[in-house]
Amino acid sequence: MNVVRVLRLVTVAAVAAGIVGCGSSPDRWKSEDPIVDLRNPRADPRLRTSAVDQARQRAGTDPVAIASVTRALKDIAWSTNEYPALRLAAITSLINDTDPAVAADAREMGKLMLPREQERPIVVYLAKSASDRGWTDYIPPLIRSYARPLKGVEDQTRVEGLAIKDLSGGRPVADTVFEVFLNPPKMPETYGLDWATRFRSDAWDLLGRLDADGTRRVELLASANGGDGGDRVIADIRTCLKDLRSVPLTGDELTWLGSLRSDGRAMNAAWWSEATAAVQSVAGNGPFHLRHAEPIRWARANRPEWLGKSRSELASELRGRLEGRTRHDRSADTAVKRNREDLAYWEPKMSWGDLLTVLVVDEALSDVGVRRALVGHADLDFKDKTTEYGGLLGFQADAKPRVVLFPPRPGQRQGDQKFIASDDMLAASDLALAHYHFHAQKRQNGDYAGPSEGDMVYAARYGRTCLVLTSLGERELAVDLYQPDGVILDLGDFSAGAEQ
C-alpha cells in the first residue's frame, strides 16, 4: 500500500478516534525543521505524522541525516506512549525506506515487535507486509502474536493466521505451528530467558485453540520423524502419551509436564511410576487429561473398586453423594450468561476420568481436618482486602488429604476480587489434585458462589481441576468444582467440623 495513503488513512482514523488534540491547530508548534516537529511530544499528532515523510525526504542520501531520522522513527515506533497512528506511520516509513539497510533493519524490528504489540492496526500492517513480501522468517513472531487470544475475535479471521497460511504455501495453520514447535527458532538467551522455551509455550498455547482436544497434535507427533533427536520436550510429550494416555493441551500444561519429568526429583519419578501403572490398568476408559492421572493413581491404592466401575456407574455413585446437598448458584454477573452447575446438566459431557476426579476431590473434601483448614484459610482471606487467597489440595505420603495455602506475593496482589497463583504455588503443584481459591470478600457472599469468567480462564490455561470456596457465614463455605473445558459442578456447602 502507498505510504502516503497509509498516512492519510491512519490520520483519518486518529481523528475519528478523537486522539489528535483538543481542537488546536496542527500548525501551532510547527517549526522550520520536520525532524524537530517529529520529535516534539507537545506538537499536534497530525503535524508529527505529516513530518514523518517530510523529515525523511529532507534527509535525502546524507547518511548522518538518515541515521538521525531513522533513530527518531524507531523511538516513536517502539514507544507505546505515542499515538498509534503516529507509530504506524513511523513503522510504515521505515519498512518502505529506499535505503536497503534502513528497510532491512525495520524488517528485523517488526519481528521483535509483533509478539507483544497491542495495537491491532500495527499487527495487521506487519502481518500483511510479511505476507505480501514473502517474509517467511516472520512465521515464528506471527505465531507468538497469534497465541495471544483476542476477546470477541474468531481465530479463523485473525490476520496472523491468514499470513501464516500464505507464508506456508496454504498448509493448515495448525500443521505449520506444530512444525515450527518441533524446530523452534534459535535465539540467544537474554537476561536468563530461554526464548526457545518461551516460543514453544506460546506455540503450544495457540495449538490449544486450533486443536482443542489434541487430536491433530497426536497425529502429527505420530507422523514426525521417528526418534526425538535428543529433544527433551518432544520425548516428554511422547512418554506422557504412552504412559498416561494424555497430551498436554496448553503451554502451561506443557510446563507442568516438564516439571513432572525433570531429572533429580525422586518423588515425581515415584509418582510417575505409580500413575503409569494405574492409568494403564484403566486405559480402555481413556483418553485422559494430565489432571486425571493423580485421581486415578490415588483411587487405585485407596478406592480400587472405583476403577472397576463403568462411566455410568461412576455417575450414579457421584449422583448419590451429591443428592440432598444444599446448593448456591452464582447470581452475580447478571450481564454474563451463566452455565448451570448441576450434575444432571453436565454428566452427559463428562468423561470417565472427569467423573472419577470429582469423586476423589469430594472424598478429599470430606476430611474434617481439610474442612477446618479451609475455613481457617477463608477467614484469613476475609481479613485481607488486598487479594484473594488460594492454594493446593492433594494427598500426603500416607494418602491422607491436606491443603496448603499460598497467599499471593505482595507484588502480585491485584485487589480483593482476583487471585494470582504465585510461582511458589505453581512450582509446588506437580502432584496436586486441585487448585483452590476463595470468594470471601464478605461473610455472606453467596451471590458469588461459583467461578468467575477469569477463574474459568485460569483453569483452561493451567489444565487443572479447580475449586472455588465461597463464604456463606462465620464458618460455612460453598464449594464449586470447575474444569478447563467449562464444566462447573456445585458440590454443596459444609461447615467446619461437620461430617459431610
Side-chain angles (χ1 to χ4, degrees):
M1 183 178 288
N2 181 284
V3 177
V4 174
R5 177 169 167 73
V6 169
L7 294 178
R8 187 180 300 120
L9 287 175
V10 296
T11 302
V12 170
V15 172
I19 62 172
V20 293
C22 302
S24 61
S25 168
D27 294 333
R28 179 182 178 189
W29 297 97
K30 186 174 177 60
S31 71
E32 295 302 316
D33 188 346
I35 189 66
V36 173
D37 296 336
L38 187 62
R39 287 186 174 277
N40 185 0
R42 300 177 65 187
D44 188 292
R46 288 170 293 181
L47 172 63
R48 297 178 70 196
T49 300
S50 66
V52 170
D53 270 357
Q54 294 172 18
R56 181 61 188 90
Q57 289 167 7
R58 179 172 291 193
T61 58
D62 180 351
V64 175
I66 291 174
S68 175
V69 174
T70 299
R71 182 69 268 166
L73 293 177
K74 289 181 70 172
D75 288 344
I76 289 169
W78 278 109
S79 176
T80 56
N81 294 322
E82 292 284 8
Y83 292 99
L86 176 60
R87 291 183 61 216
L88 179 57
I91 294 166
T92 302
S93 176
L94 289 167
I95 284 181
N96 290 282
D97 200 283
T98 55
D99 186 319
V102 173
D105 182 66
R107 174 176 173 174
E108 294 301 312
M109 179 187 72
K111 289 197 298 187
L112 295 174
M113 293 179 68
L114 258 175
R116 299 184 62 83
E117 180 56 54
Q118 297 296 319
E119 295 295 336
R120 288 306 293 175
I122 293 176
V123 172
V124 169
Y125 177 75
L126 291 173
K128 286 182 63 62
S129 295
S131 177
D132 292 345
R133 303 171 195 221
W135 291 346
T136 55
D137 55 322
Y138 262 58
I139 290 178
L142 283 166
I143 288 172
R144 291 197 61 204
S145 177
Y146 200 5
R148 291 181 287 128
L150 283 181
K151 192 172 182 178
V153 179
E154 293 291 333
D155 277 328
Q156 292 76 10
T157 66
R158 291 272 295 266
V159 68
E160 298 99 324
L162 299 175
I164 292 168
K165 189 170 184 177
D166 285 345
L167 291 169
S168 58
R171 293 179 61 201
V173 175
D175 292 13
T176 300
V177 175
F178 186 83
E179 182 179 285
V180 182
F181 171 85
L182 290 178
N183 301 285
K186 291 178 171 54
M187 297 176 62
E189 286 192 14
T190 52
Y191 304 105
L193 183 61
D194 183 343
W195 286 106
T197 299
R198 179 61 179 271
F199 171 80
R200 277 186 150 172
S201 180
D202 288 343
W204 206 254
D205 273 334
L206 175 55
L207 287 167
R209 302 202 315 266
L210 302 178
D211 173 42
D213 63 0
T215 300
R216 184 57 181 157
R217 277 173 282 180
V218 171
E219 294 172 351
L220 292 169
L221 199 62
S223 63
N225 292 334
D228 304 307
D231 190 319
R232 182 61 182 268
V233 174
I234 303 304
D236 286 345
I237 295 172
R238 284 193 164 124
T239 300
C240 186
L241 185 58
K242 176 175 66 73
D243 291 355
L244 304 184
R245 295 292 196 273
S246 63
V247 61
L249 297 180
T250 68
D252 283 288
E253 232 182 317
L254 187 61
T255 299
W256 176 19
L257 172 61
S259 184
L260 280 169
R261 299 287 298 165
S262 292
D263 295 329
R265 298 189 179 185
M267 188 176 296
N268 283 11
W271 177 90
W272 190 276
S273 179
E274 293 176 13
T276 296
V279 169
Q280 295 297 329
S281 73
V282 292
N285 294 314
F288 302 111
H289 293 294
L290 193 52
R291 60 189 168 83
H292 293 145
E294 171 59 3
I296 294 173
R297 183 205 66 81
W298 184 89
R300 185 174 190 242
N302 300 279
R303 294 290 185 274
E305 67 277 11
W306 285 352
L307 298 191
K309 291 181 180 292
S310 66
R311 183 188 166 285
S312 61
E313 288 171 332
L314 288 179
S316 178
E317 174 91 11
L318 181 58
R319 194 176 302 113
R321 292 174 74 106
L322 298 180
E323 190 174 358
R325 294 185 187 177
T326 304
R327 296 176 52 238
H328 286 79
D329 288 340
R330 184 180 175 112
S331 58
D333 309 322
T334 53
V336 180
K337 182 181 182 298
R338 296 293 302 177
N339 286 322
R340 287 170 52 179
E341 301 174 3
D342 57 288
L343 182 61
Y345 176 77
W346 287 110
E347 185 268 323
K349 303 175 178 65
M350 296 175 71
S351 69
W352 185 94
D354 291 338
L355 294 165
L356 179 73
T357 297
V358 179
L359 281 169
V360 174
V361 168
D362 195 64
E363 183 76 5
L365 291 174
S366 70
D367 182 83
V368 173
V370 165
R371 293 203 299 275
R372 287 175 178 166
L374 288 170
V375 167
H377 297 170
D379 188 55
L380 292 173
D381 189 352
F382 170 73
K383 294 173 181 176
D384 188 339
K385 302 306 179 185
T386 67
T387 188
E388 291 181 344
Y389 279 29
L392 304 173
L393 171 66
F395 296 103
Q396 303 178 78
D398 61 1
K400 185 175 176 59
R402 69 168 179 174
V403 288
V404 182
L405 184 67
F406 287 87
R409 291 181 176 276
Q412 295 175 310
R413 295 173 177 235
Q414 298 185 15
D416 206 22
Q417 303 289 326
K418 191 169 186 179
F419 171 66
I420 303 293
S422 68
D423 292 341
D424 291 344
M425 175 178 159
L426 295 173
S429 68
D430 284 355
L431 311 184
L433 176 64
H435 291 197
Y436 70 87
H437 76 287
F438 297 95
H439 289 168
Q441 291 80 9
K442 300 182 295 183
R443 290 295 189 193
Q444 300 284 347
N445 207 31
D447 288 348
Y448 290 88
S452 67
E453 184 178 3
D455 295 337
M456 299 304 296
V457 170
Y458 177 101
R461 173 184 174 182
Y462 290 104
R464 301 285 189 155
T465 300
C466 293
L467 301 169
V468 58
L469 299 110
T470 305
S471 178
L472 298 176
E474 189 74 25
R475 297 180 63 76
E476 186 176 6
L477 296 172
V479 187
D480 288 88
L481 177 148
Y482 52 104
Q483 300 182 169
D485 58 2
V487 170
I488 305 172
L489 286 182
D490 190 326
L491 301 185
D493 309 343
F494 69 77
S495 299
E499 293 292 342
Q500 193 170 22

